[in-house]
Amino acid sequence: MSFSPRVFLSPFLGIALALAGCDSGPDQSSQANSAGHSAPTASTGKANQQVLEQRPFDDHSDFANARRGLIAEDPELVTEHRGGGEVWNMPDYDFVDAEGENAPASVNPSLWRQAALNNIHGLFKVTEGLYQIRGYDLANMSIIETDTGWILVDPLTARETASKAFLFAREHLGEKPVRAIIFTHSHIDHFGGVRGVLQHLSDAEKANLRIIAPAGFEDEATSENIIAGPAMTRRAMFMYGKRLRRDDRGHVGTGLGKGPAFGTLGFAAPTDVISETGTELIVDGVPLVFQMVSGSEAPSEFTFYLPERKAFCGAELVSRNLHNLYTLRGAKVRDARIWSGYIDEARRRFAEAEVYFASHHWPLWGRDNIQDFLLKQRDTYKFIHDQSVRMMNQGATPREIAENLQLPAALNEEFHNQGYYGTVSHNAKAVYQSYLGWFTANPSELNPLPEAESAKRYVAMMGGADKILDQARQDFEAASDMSATEGRDTYRWLGELLNHLVFADPDNNEAKALLADVYDQLGYQAESAPWRDFYLTGAYELRHGSPEEGIKPAMMREVLLHTPVSLFFDSMAVRLNADDAEGEAMTIKITFTDLQESYLLTLQNSVLHNRLTDADTPADATLMLTRPMFVDLLVGNAGLKELLFSDDIRFEGSKLDLLGFFSMLDKPEGRFNVVTP
């Protein structure tokens, strides 16, 4: 997934009351920082204080494991963007206590602890012949020593961060040839930085380089987000807190790491494709045993085992948090039952493992520790699946399931399977969705009014905006003195109520301001980093409006150059404005001169179809150009009018038909409203 450049750091602003030895935060929601985020209320302080009683916060073994084997670190870790600005800035997060203690009242202490662990960065020795670079990007890059060189695992998200991490490893481990690169799965934070490594390799290294990936990797890696990309990337701005400052009332991390690296994304095609569990490869003298786990965290994924080192790479099948069955930025639902089964298979197949390492977070050592970790990860996903289905079969709705489902004590006594990224709540809803979809069988949900229209009717029936606002303000003030549970539920209700008011009257600044204060409190209490970022971004946009520009698709250019061209036409079909196309009928042929392929686009009935065709197929207009030029057209690096009158392309037929056709396609900017209509 692509993201826009960095979010600038504000100094550590606002009133941050430490929870240690205190039962509440300041009851002064008007004391906003310069970004507008209000102070935590007393009931928010109580709610966060209670978290300290729920888990063994005096257990610092995770911190010991996260620091174990440190070879070197860069305390001033800042990575510059090739085009100017910054891609990555670890010092932005220096406001987080190094030991994860003394959480301010505006951050859930459990999330604060996870943020502190994810702050630990540098080059680490995991075991003999195995190293990791952590904290240079959202994901980890692992290094396996071979007979004559290195195997790199998951070369990060961006060219800039991967280059810096790779050179840092060379500086401290010595310069060795790279014999292979492993892509464990098809998400871009595990392959998008590959060009940052390749740029430092000799021609001989690149000529003999093996790139090992799971079956389906190329299609999945290059097609993700093509169809629904504008909506997904806009929602990702919320999920990853793109517009939030890095401070105690803003973004503290993603739970899975610190945040996405907003740099130059790349791609390299695999030379070795793994399709079956049990496949064994020997790479420059190092045996590798693979397990296919596609359909768990990613549609194309494997784990692998190093039998000589008794080291298990869990990829993203398991992490030091509960993962997403449904990703809040938008994605297809993942199957918790299959996911749990894969973890159980890994636990049995690689039962001799003495070391666990993965694509995110820190390693784990000791056979018994690893087995216990895998068992509890396995059972967490299975519990969520089985109990959600049980309640579903008793007639419970997604909201009811999410409200009542809680992990049993045996699965809720440690930190590694907690909801820092995914949550029991929204994962339970995902299980429901995967089986039954959006409809709860209640007839009232078959054909409800759109949100803004129903909101107007709610507001009118409740006596109008002023009455609602007065009551909501009283309830908000009263919530500060409530118990933690009562206060949280009041904020949840006020969020729902005031959202109706804002959608009925989007120019009501008092309603937006109060709803923003409510979202602040819900964000401060959230253990899940994406929940926190969604709430706080919602508050930010209620105060400051939607962004002036969305995420630039040009960041994906290099990946798009490897995307099957048929997908481009599928994406064009979903951009067709049906009203503009009403009554129009035409055929457009696009010939890629470098691929020797032609596609016929047929417009009729306000629907666009495409198919591979012969070069001599007649059409109303024909455009002949290279795939890179077509990609530049799609991502906005080149305009159609300029191309039509340039020497770089050829055309046949009517230029007016071509211009008319492209004018019917929406140009989504990825900056649509979310918290207002």
Side-chain angles (χ1 to χ4, degrees), residues 250-323:
H251 176 81
V252 300
T254 69
L256 197 64
K258 300 316 298 181
F262 309 137
T264 306
L265 311 176
F267 183 82
T271 62
D272 296 70
V273 174
I274 306 300
S275 57
E276 293 184 6
T277 293
T279 298
E280 299 184 16
L281 289 183
I282 296 179
V283 180
D284 196 29
V286 176
L288 302 163
V289 183
F290 294 89
Q291 176 203 18
M292 292 299 298
V293 297
S294 297
S296 56
E297 193 272 337
S300 171
E301 185 164 1
F302 58 47
T303 71
F304 66 88
Y305 183 61
L306 299 166
E308 292 183 344
R309 292 158 203 187
K310 293 188 176 182
F312 167 56
C313 176
E316 211 161 332
L317 178 69
V318 283
S319 303
R320 307 291 295 190
N321 54 224
L322 175 61
H323 218 297

Side-chain angles (χ1 to χ4, degrees), residues 310-513:
K310 293 188 176 182
F312 167 56
C313 176
E316 211 161 332
L317 178 69
V318 283
S319 303
R320 307 291 295 190
N321 54 224
L322 175 61
H323 218 297
N324 289 302
L325 299 180
Y326 165 74
T327 300
L328 299 181
R329 65 175 173 83
K332 296 177 182 178
V333 171
R334 299 155 183 172
D335 191 322
R337 184 178 59 85
I338 291 175
W339 198 330
S340 175
Y342 282 140
I343 298 174
D344 188 53
E345 180 185 55
R347 181 172 175 265
R348 291 180 287 104
R349 182 175 288 273
F350 307 128
E352 299 301 311
E354 295 285 353
V355 177
Y356 152 82
F357 67 105
S359 300
H360 294 278
H361 304 132
W362 52 97
L364 188 63
W365 291 265
R367 186 180 307 179
D368 291 344
N369 292 332
I370 294 167
Q371 285 289 302
D372 184 67
F373 166 69
L374 293 175
L375 183 149
K376 288 178 178 172
Q377 288 272 321
R378 175 199 71 181
D379 288 351
T380 299
Y381 292 102
K382 190 71 159 55
F383 178 87
I384 292 171
H385 172 273
D386 292 355
Q387 295 306 308
S388 295
V389 173
R390 181 183 69 83
M391 294 186 200
M392 178 185 80
N393 285 335
Q394 292 177 339
T397 66
R399 282 192 180 192
E400 290 169 336
I401 297 170
E403 187 72 9
N404 291 293
L405 188 63
Q406 294 183 344
L407 292 178
L411 294 178
N412 203 24
E413 60 190 11
E414 298 182 52
F415 293 97
H416 67 75
N417 59 344
Q418 300 306 320
Y420 305 120
Y421 198 48
T423 69
V424 172
S425 175
H426 76 252
N427 280 346
K429 293 176 182 177
V431 173
Y432 187 103
Q433 178 184 337
S434 69
Y435 284 103
L436 298 182
W438 60 268
F439 183 45
T440 67
N442 187 319
S444 70
E445 297 184 7
L446 274 175
N447 191 29
L449 290 168
E451 289 84 352
E453 182 59 32
S454 65
K456 292 175 184 176
R457 294 171 184 252
Y458 272 114
V459 169
M461 185 166 286
M462 286 187 286
D466 290 343
K467 183 176 180 181
I468 294 172
L469 191 56
D470 286 344
Q471 185 62 55
R473 190 177 290 110
Q474 292 177 38
D475 288 355
F476 180 81
E477 293 172 356
S480 181
D481 295 324
M482 294 177 183
S483 69
T485 300
E486 290 174 328
R488 181 187 303 111
D489 288 349
T490 299
Y491 294 137
R492 291 168 68 191
W493 157 242
L494 288 175
E496 185 175 344
L497 175 68
L498 289 167
N499 184 66
H500 283 310
L501 182 50
V502 169
F503 268 68
D505 184 6
D507 294 326
N508 190 323
N509 291 328
E510 290 185 61
K512 288 194 291 186

Side-chain angles (χ1 to χ4, degrees), residues 569 571-588 601-609 620-621 634 640-641 654-668:
F569 301 125
S571 71
M572 291 170 69
V574 302
R575 290 166 51 196
L576 180 69
N577 188 311
D579 292 337
D580 292 346
E582 178 75 29
E584 300 288 343
M586 66 177 68
T587 55
I588 305 292
L601 311 183
T602 303
L603 173 63
Q604 58 185 16
N605 301 320
S606 295
V607 176
L608 182 64
H609 296 274
D620 295 324
L634 291 180
L640 180 64
K641 289 183 180 179
S654 171
K655 286 184 180 180
L656 289 178
D657 280 348
L658 275 174
L659 290 170
F661 168 71
F662 279 98
S663 71
M664 298 179 202
L665 304 179
D666 280 346
K667 301 174 180 62

Side-chain angles (χ1 to χ4, degrees), residues 4 229-235 237 242 546-553 575 634-635 665-673:
S4 68
M232 287 183 176
T233 52
R234 174 68 173 114
R235 291 161 60 117
M237 295 170 73
K242 173 189 175 292
S546 297
E548 294 184 1
E549 64 178 23
I551 292 171
K552 299 294 186 182
R575 290 166 51 196
L634 291 180
V635 302
L665 304 179
D666 280 346
K667 301 174 180 62
E669 298 178 348
R671 50 180 300 274
F672 52 80
N673 292 340

Side-chain angles (χ1 to χ4, degrees), residues 105-124:
S106 56
V107 185
N108 182 296
S110 187
L111 179 59
W112 182 258
R113 177 185 183 277
Q114 184 79 350
L117 285 161
N118 284 328
N119 271 13
I120 299 170
H121 63 279
L123 173 66
F124 301 82

Side-chain angles (χ1 to χ4, degrees), residues 205-226:
E205 281 179 273
K206 286 185 280 191
N208 295 292
L209 183 67
R210 299 174 71 174
I211 297 181
I212 304 165
F217 170 83
E218 190 158 5
D219 285 345
E220 296 293 345
T222 59
S223 65
E224 186 182 40
N225 301 347
I226 294 297

